[in-house]
Amino acid sequence: MKIELGQHIIEFHVEYGPRKKLSIHIDPSGLMTVKAPNHTSDDVVMSAVKQHGSKIVKQLQAIEAARTAPKVREYQEEGKFLHLGKYHALHELIETNGRTEEELQHDLKKFYFASCKKVIGERIKIYQKQLKVTPKSYIIEESRTKWGSCSSAKHLTFNYRLAMAPIEVIDYVVIHELCHLLHMNHDRSFWRRVGSVMPDYKEKEAFLARYGQAMTL
């Protein structure tokens, strides 16, 4: 099926089955599927998609942005860099006038660290209430191997590059680490707890696995 959302034409597949509620899923490649109860009319499906139109377009744009990430970073005013799932010209993120390339690289990384700390702090406040947990502290660091971690002493660590990801992907990493305050390993209880807050967490995992390499300097 197809639907026009603003200036965008969105194609999606409808999957009918013995379910009670209609839900919308977008995989990391941008394929959108509407899962609907048997005998759901086309009008009801279209209405549901329109209702979530802005969120759908935003998610699809983030996926496309990650897919078309530039391979060479251009540290100049119009160089493109990811921030919260969208590309921005460098001068929209930091001051560029009179700065050398080395200074721009330093300032941009500093911007990401600050942005990540702010956003992570805001999201922790939201989800720690839902999960009824309280971390002792959290820090932002640079890592090539992990997006986040949780120590046995309840200290959380997050990768500064998360500031480049869509907010819902950041939410997944925050939820993941907060759930480790309840379950230190990745057993079934852990994943059930993650899923209770974010049912589509596997899509966020897949997004990081597929597009995480584009989230770099």
Side-chain angles (χ1 to χ4, degrees):
M1 297 179 71
K2 292 184 180 180
I3 189 171
E4 185 174 346
L5 299 175
Q7 299 178 339
H8 305 273
I9 304 296
I10 308 298
E11 293 188 16
F12 60 93
H13 171 71
V14 183
E15 183 181 298
Y16 299 96
R19 52 180 60 88
K20 294 182 179 180
K21 296 182 178 180
L22 184 148
S23 59
I24 300 172
H25 302 267
I26 300 176
D27 74 12
S29 69
L31 177 64
M32 178 172 149
T33 302
V34 176
K35 296 184 178 182
N38 287 324
H39 311 301
T40 301
S41 69
D42 289 351
D43 287 344
V44 169
V45 171
M46 287 293 193
S47 177
V49 173
K50 285 182 180 179
Q51 183 180 351
H52 298 282
S54 59
K55 182 179 179 181
I56 291 169
V57 170
K58 182 179 178 181
Q59 189 171 347
L60 290 174
Q61 287 177 331
I63 291 172
E64 181 61 25
R67 181 187 294 127
T68 58
K71 295 182 179 180
V72 179
R73 301 302 178 196
E74 297 181 3
Y75 287 90
Q76 52 185 322
E77 284 194 8
E78 298 304 322
K80 299 296 183 181
F81 293 86
L82 275 170
H83 184 231
L84 300 182
K86 294 183 179 181
Y87 276 104
H88 298 265
L90 183 59
H91 70 85
E92 295 175 332
L93 303 178
I94 61 172
E95 177 60 49
T96 57
N97 291 332
R99 311 293 285 171
T100 66
E101 183 170 325
E102 184 177 349
E103 289 171 333
L104 290 173
Q105 291 182 27
H106 174 271
D107 291 352
L108 183 59
K109 181 175 286 190
K110 186 177 179 180
F111 165 81
Y112 280 128
F113 265 88
S115 176
C116 189
K117 185 174 183 178
K118 178 178 182 293
V119 173
I120 292 290
E122 292 170 349
R123 309 316 283 180
I124 284 177
K125 287 181 181 178
I126 294 171
Y127 292 109
Q128 70 178 10
K129 291 180 181 178
Q130 291 187 40
L131 291 163
K132 295 181 173 59
V133 296
T134 304
K136 287 187 176 179
S137 68
Y138 76 95
I139 62 171
I140 309 302
E141 68 169 15
E142 181 172 2
S143 174
R144 293 188 177 185
T145 59
K146 55 189 177 182
W147 295 106
S149 64
C150 173
S151 74
S152 58
K154 298 186 177 181
H155 297 293
L156 307 184
T157 301
F158 297 93
N159 194 324
Y160 84 94
R161 294 190 292 123
L162 282 171
M164 305 177 194
I167 194 68
E168 60 269 20
V169 175
I170 297 175
D171 282 349
Y172 161 66
V173 179
V174 169
I175 292 167
H176 185 115
E177 301 311 330
L178 287 175
C179 284
H180 275 314
L181 297 175
L182 300 168
H183 308 278
M184 281 305 293
N185 54 22
H186 292 98
D187 59 13
R188 289 185 178 180
S189 296
F190 169 81
W191 289 115
R192 279 198 295 268
R193 199 70 187 95
V194 172
S196 70
V197 181
M198 179 173 279
D200 62 347
Y201 71 86
K202 289 185 178 180
E203 293 180 11
K204 310 305 185 292
E205 268 196 321
F207 183 95
L208 286 172
R210 186 163 185 174
Y211 300 113
Q213 62 182 356
M215 292 155 48
T216 187
L217 294 180

